[in-house]
Amino acid sequence: ILRDLFHTDCNAVLKALQPIFQEQGMTETVHNWEDHGYLVTYIKKNGSFANLRIHPHGLVLVDLQSYNDHMKGREEVDQLLNKVEERMKELFHGNIKRVKRLPAILRGGVIDRYWPTADGRLVEYDIDEVVYDEDSPFQNIKILHSKQFGNILILSGDVNLAESDLAYTQAIMGSGKEDYTGKEVLILGGGDGGILSSNIDQMVIDGCKKHMRKTCGDVLDNLKGECYQVLIEDCIPVLKRYAKEGRMFDYVINDLTAVPISTSPEEDSTWEFLRLILDLSMKVLKQDGKYFTQGNCINLTDALTLYEEQLSRLYCPVEFSKETVCVPSYMELYP
């Protein structure tokens, strides 16, 4: 609740709201910081509690934590907040700039629905089932089911790909503008289905071939076919080996990791890893070949610009273009 307050207003707000919490049988503790307003805590016998923060500049915050995960508990919280809003409107005769009520966050639930975007925003997904949850020697692997997006692959807390995300696959393969007929293609990563592919984590492949078949089909059922082979290896030794053998590709598709959020390459080993991948990939790419990779959230302009600068530092000159797509399960635009 936002309104311009003075010190006397802070005291008036406290006096007006105290009875609402006291009616709930809550124990009250008041902290007064003179020119910095009030912090009041209310604790109920069942462990539920509320924090009331009254700022002199006009912001009044009410945070509630309840251990009731049933409809009655949620109704009680709504009724209490309704009373707070009504009392504030009465106190200031409706002269309040803004009232904002945020949805409740469920902590400690059996299913974790909260996952951050690349630029640090918290998203609550409509996840209703844990399909797969295992730790490999390299990372935690989760496959969760979303009502909107189908099964979602999450690696160490990072949303990778959902069954809804055809736009991602199409973009990283050139958005339908390329003809791969008879071409040599090297995919780095791509454990969710994807010609010659190198992925270090067998457990990602095992999980995806069972639970992500809408994205990978049956291609992962066999690691080798008439026109493709999947290598369960670290891609760096593979790239070095191919470079030494003189093996060249028409396309290299890097599906390993996004552009790092950090803008300090000298402090972030991921940037060093990306530079190494770029350099090695250029050594196995034909002169007229193409290299496709993902970027990161479009809001991370500094990191994306820094990645483009890395391209100018390669041992060979390159030209590049970029395309931005909306990846449904990411809930953000991705170049």
Side-chain angles (χ1 to χ4, degrees), residues 104-130:
I105 293 178
L106 179 62
R107 302 181 182 183
V110 176
I111 298 175
D112 188 356
R113 299 184 178 93
Y114 304 96
W115 300 95
T117 59
D119 59 346
R121 291 172 291 113
L122 185 63
V123 174
E124 180 177 4
Y125 286 83
D126 56 348
I127 292 168
D128 57 6
E129 182 184 358
V130 178

Short mmCIF file of all heavy atoms in Angstrom, two decimals, residues 104-130:
data_model
loop_
_atom_site.label_atom_id
_atom_site.label_comp_id
_atom_site.label_asym_id
_atom_site.label_seq_id
_atom_site.Cartn_x
_atom_site.Cartn_y
_atom_site.Cartn_z
N ALA A 104 0.51 -15.75 -3.39
CA ALA A 104 1.28 -16.44 -2.36
C ALA A 104 2.35 -17.32 -2.99
O ALA A 104 2.15 -17.90 -4.06
CB ALA A 104 0.35 -17.29 -1.50
N ILE A 105 3.51 -17.39 -2.34
CA ILE A 105 4.58 -18.31 -2.74
C ILE A 105 4.53 -19.52 -1.81
O ILE A 105 4.58 -19.37 -0.59
CB ILE A 105 5.95 -17.63 -2.67
CG1 ILE A 105 6.04 -16.52 -3.71
CG2 ILE A 105 7.07 -18.64 -2.87
CD1 ILE A 105 7.35 -15.76 -3.69
N LEU A 106 4.43 -20.70 -2.41
CA LEU A 106 4.37 -21.93 -1.62
C LEU A 106 5.79 -22.46 -1.43
O LEU A 106 6.44 -22.89 -2.38
CB LEU A 106 3.50 -22.98 -2.34
CG LEU A 106 3.38 -24.33 -1.64
CD1 LEU A 106 2.71 -24.17 -0.27
CD2 LEU A 106 2.60 -25.30 -2.50
N ARG A 107 6.27 -22.42 -0.20
CA ARG A 107 7.63 -22.89 0.10
C ARG A 107 7.59 -24.31 0.67
O ARG A 107 6.69 -24.67 1.42
CB ARG A 107 8.29 -21.95 1.11
CG ARG A 107 8.37 -20.51 0.65
CD ARG A 107 9.05 -19.64 1.67
NE ARG A 107 9.10 -18.24 1.24
CZ ARG A 107 9.69 -17.28 1.94
NH1 ARG A 107 10.29 -17.56 3.08
NH2 ARG A 107 9.69 -16.04 1.49
N GLY A 108 8.59 -25.07 0.31
CA GLY A 108 8.71 -26.41 0.88
C GLY A 108 7.71 -27.40 0.33
O GLY A 108 7.47 -28.45 0.94
N GLY A 109 7.11 -27.10 -0.83
CA GLY A 109 6.15 -28.01 -1.42
C GLY A 109 6.83 -29.25 -1.99
O GLY A 109 8.04 -29.27 -2.24
N VAL A 110 6.06 -30.29 -2.20
CA VAL A 110 6.59 -31.52 -2.79
C VAL A 110 7.12 -31.23 -4.19
O VAL A 110 8.14 -31.77 -4.63
CB VAL A 110 5.49 -32.60 -2.84
CG1 VAL A 110 6.01 -33.85 -3.54
CG2 VAL A 110 5.02 -32.94 -1.43
N ILE A 111 6.43 -30.35 -4.92
CA ILE A 111 6.83 -29.97 -6.28
C ILE A 111 7.32 -28.53 -6.27
O ILE A 111 6.61 -27.64 -5.80
CB ILE A 111 5.65 -30.13 -7.26
CG1 ILE A 111 5.19 -31.59 -7.32
CG2 ILE A 111 6.04 -29.64 -8.66
CD1 ILE A 111 3.96 -31.82 -8.16
N ASP A 112 8.52 -28.30 -6.77
CA ASP A 112 9.09 -26.95 -6.84
C ASP A 112 8.61 -26.29 -8.13
O ASP A 112 8.99 -26.70 -9.23
CB ASP A 112 10.61 -27.02 -6.80
CG ASP A 112 11.25 -25.64 -6.67
OD1 ASP A 112 10.50 -24.64 -6.70
OD2 ASP A 112 12.48 -25.57 -6.55
N ARG A 113 7.80 -25.26 -8.00
CA ARG A 113 7.25 -24.60 -9.18
C ARG A 113 8.00 -23.33 -9.56
O ARG A 113 7.69 -22.69 -10.56
CB ARG A 113 5.79 -24.23 -8.93
CG ARG A 113 4.87 -25.40 -8.66
CD ARG A 113 3.42 -24.93 -8.51
NE ARG A 113 2.51 -26.03 -8.30
CZ ARG A 113 2.14 -26.47 -7.09
NH1 ARG A 113 2.63 -25.87 -6.03
NH2 ARG A 113 1.30 -27.47 -6.98
N TYR A 114 8.99 -22.92 -8.77
CA TYR A 114 9.61 -21.61 -8.95
C TYR A 114 11.01 -21.75 -9.55
O TYR A 114 11.89 -22.40 -8.98
CB TYR A 114 9.69 -20.88 -7.61
CG TYR A 114 8.34 -20.74 -6.96
CD1 TYR A 114 7.93 -21.66 -5.98
CD2 TYR A 114 7.45 -19.75 -7.34
CE1 TYR A 114 6.68 -21.57 -5.39
CE2 TYR A 114 6.20 -19.65 -6.75
CZ TYR A 114 5.82 -20.55 -5.78
OH TYR A 114 4.58 -20.47 -5.20
N TRP A 115 11.19 -21.12 -10.70
CA TRP A 115 12.48 -21.18 -11.38
C TRP A 115 12.81 -19.80 -11.95
O TRP A 115 11.95 -19.13 -12.51
CB TRP A 115 12.46 -22.23 -12.51
CG TRP A 115 12.15 -23.59 -11.97
CD1 TRP A 115 10.93 -24.20 -11.90
CD2 TRP A 115 13.08 -24.49 -11.36
NE1 TRP A 115 11.03 -25.43 -11.29
CE2 TRP A 115 12.35 -25.63 -10.95
CE3 TRP A 115 14.45 -24.44 -11.13
CZ2 TRP A 115 12.95 -26.71 -10.32
CZ3 TRP A 115 15.04 -25.53 -10.51
CH2 TRP A 115 14.31 -26.64 -10.11
N PRO A 116 14.07 -19.35 -11.80
CA PRO A 116 14.42 -18.00 -12.25
C PRO A 116 14.68 -17.93 -13.75
O PRO A 116 15.13 -18.90 -14.37
CB PRO A 116 15.70 -17.71 -11.47
CG PRO A 116 16.33 -19.07 -11.26
CD PRO A 116 15.17 -20.03 -11.12
N THR A 117 14.39 -16.77 -14.32
CA THR A 117 14.78 -16.52 -15.71
C THR A 117 16.25 -16.12 -15.73
O THR A 117 16.86 -15.89 -14.68
CB THR A 117 13.94 -15.38 -16.31
OG1 THR A 117 14.14 -14.19 -15.53
CG2 THR A 117 12.45 -15.72 -16.32
N ALA A 118 16.81 -16.04 -16.93
CA ALA A 118 18.23 -15.71 -17.04
C ALA A 118 18.55 -14.33 -16.48
O ALA A 118 19.65 -14.10 -15.98
CB ALA A 118 18.67 -15.78 -18.51
N ASP A 119 17.59 -13.40 -16.56
CA ASP A 119 17.84 -12.04 -16.06
C ASP A 119 17.33 -11.85 -14.65
O ASP A 119 17.14 -10.72 -14.19
CB ASP A 119 17.24 -11.00 -17.00
CG ASP A 119 15.74 -11.16 -17.18
OD1 ASP A 119 15.21 -12.21 -16.79
OD2 ASP A 119 15.10 -10.23 -17.70
N GLY A 120 17.10 -12.96 -13.92
CA GLY A 120 16.87 -12.87 -12.48
C GLY A 120 15.44 -12.67 -12.04
O GLY A 120 15.20 -12.36 -10.87
N ARG A 121 14.46 -12.84 -12.92
CA ARG A 121 13.06 -12.75 -12.51
C ARG A 121 12.56 -14.13 -12.09
O ARG A 121 12.92 -15.13 -12.68
CB ARG A 121 12.21 -12.21 -13.66
CG ARG A 121 12.48 -10.76 -13.99
CD ARG A 121 11.75 -10.29 -15.24
NE ARG A 121 12.31 -10.93 -16.44
CZ ARG A 121 11.66 -11.80 -17.19
NH1 ARG A 121 10.45 -12.18 -16.87
NH2 ARG A 121 12.22 -12.31 -18.27
N LEU A 122 11.74 -14.15 -11.05
CA LEU A 122 11.22 -15.42 -10.56
C LEU A 122 9.92 -15.75 -11.27
O LEU A 122 9.00 -14.94 -11.32
CB LEU A 122 10.98 -15.34 -9.05
CG LEU A 122 10.55 -16.65 -8.37
CD1 LEU A 122 11.65 -17.70 -8.49
CD2 LEU A 122 10.21 -16.41 -6.91
N VAL A 123 9.85 -16.97 -11.82
CA VAL A 123 8.67 -17.41 -12.55
C VAL A 123 8.06 -18.60 -11.82
O VAL A 123 8.77 -19.52 -11.41
CB VAL A 123 9.03 -17.82 -14.00
CG1 VAL A 123 7.82 -18.42 -14.70
CG2 VAL A 123 9.54 -16.60 -14.78
N GLU A 124 6.75 -18.56 -11.65
CA GLU A 124 6.05 -19.71 -11.10
C GLU A 124 5.43 -20.49 -12.26
O GLU A 124 4.56 -19.99 -12.97
CB GLU A 124 4.94 -19.29 -10.13
CG GLU A 124 4.19 -20.49 -9.55
CD GLU A 124 3.12 -20.10 -8.53
OE1 GLU A 124 2.91 -18.89 -8.33
OE2 GLU A 124 2.53 -21.01 -7.95
N TYR A 125 5.92 -21.70 -12.47
CA TYR A 125 5.42 -22.55 -13.53
C TYR A 125 4.22 -23.37 -13.04
O TYR A 125 4.08 -23.62 -11.84
CB TYR A 125 6.51 -23.51 -14.02
CG TYR A 125 7.58 -22.86 -14.85
CD1 TYR A 125 8.66 -22.20 -14.26
CD2 TYR A 125 7.54 -22.90 -16.24
CE1 TYR A 125 9.65 -21.61 -15.01
CE2 TYR A 125 8.53 -22.32 -17.01
CZ TYR A 125 9.58 -21.66 -16.39
OH TYR A 125 10.55 -21.07 -17.15
N ASP A 126 3.39 -23.80 -13.97
CA ASP A 126 2.24 -24.63 -13.62
C ASP A 126 2.63 -26.11 -13.60
O ASP A 126 2.02 -26.94 -14.26
CB ASP A 126 1.08 -24.37 -14.59
CG ASP A 126 1.47 -24.62 -16.04
OD1 ASP A 126 2.69 -24.75 -16.32
OD2 ASP A 126 0.59 -24.67 -16.90
N ILE A 127 3.64 -26.42 -12.82
CA ILE A 127 4.17 -27.78 -12.75
C ILE A 127 3.30 -28.62 -11.82
O ILE A 127 2.97 -28.20 -10.70
CB ILE A 127 5.63 -27.76 -12.26
CG1 ILE A 127 6.52 -27.12 -13.34
CG2 ILE A 127 6.12 -29.16 -11.94
CD1 ILE A 127 7.90 -26.79 -12.88
N ASP A 128 2.92 -29.80 -12.28
CA ASP A 128 2.05 -30.66 -11.48
C ASP A 128 2.63 -32.05 -11.23
O ASP A 128 2.01 -32.87 -10.55
CB ASP A 128 0.67 -30.79 -12.14
CG ASP A 128 0.74 -31.34 -13.57
OD1 ASP A 128 1.85 -31.72 -14.01
OD2 ASP A 128 -0.31 -31.37 -14.23
N GLU A 129 3.84 -32.31 -11.76
CA GLU A 129 4.41 -33.65 -11.56
C GLU A 129 5.93 -33.62 -11.73
O GLU A 129 6.46 -32.97 -12.64
CB GLU A 129 3.82 -34.63 -12.58
CG GLU A 129 4.32 -36.07 -12.43
CD GLU A 129 3.81 -36.99 -13.51
OE1 GLU A 129 3.02 -36.54 -14.37
OE2 GLU A 129 4.19 -38.18 -13.50
N VAL A 130 6.63 -34.32 -10.83
CA VAL A 130 8.06 -34.57 -11.00
C VAL A 130 8.20 -35.88 -11.77
O VAL A 130 7.92 -36.95 -11.25
CB VAL A 130 8.78 -34.66 -9.64
CG1 VAL A 130 10.27 -34.97 -9.86
CG2 VAL A 130 8.62 -33.37 -8.85
#
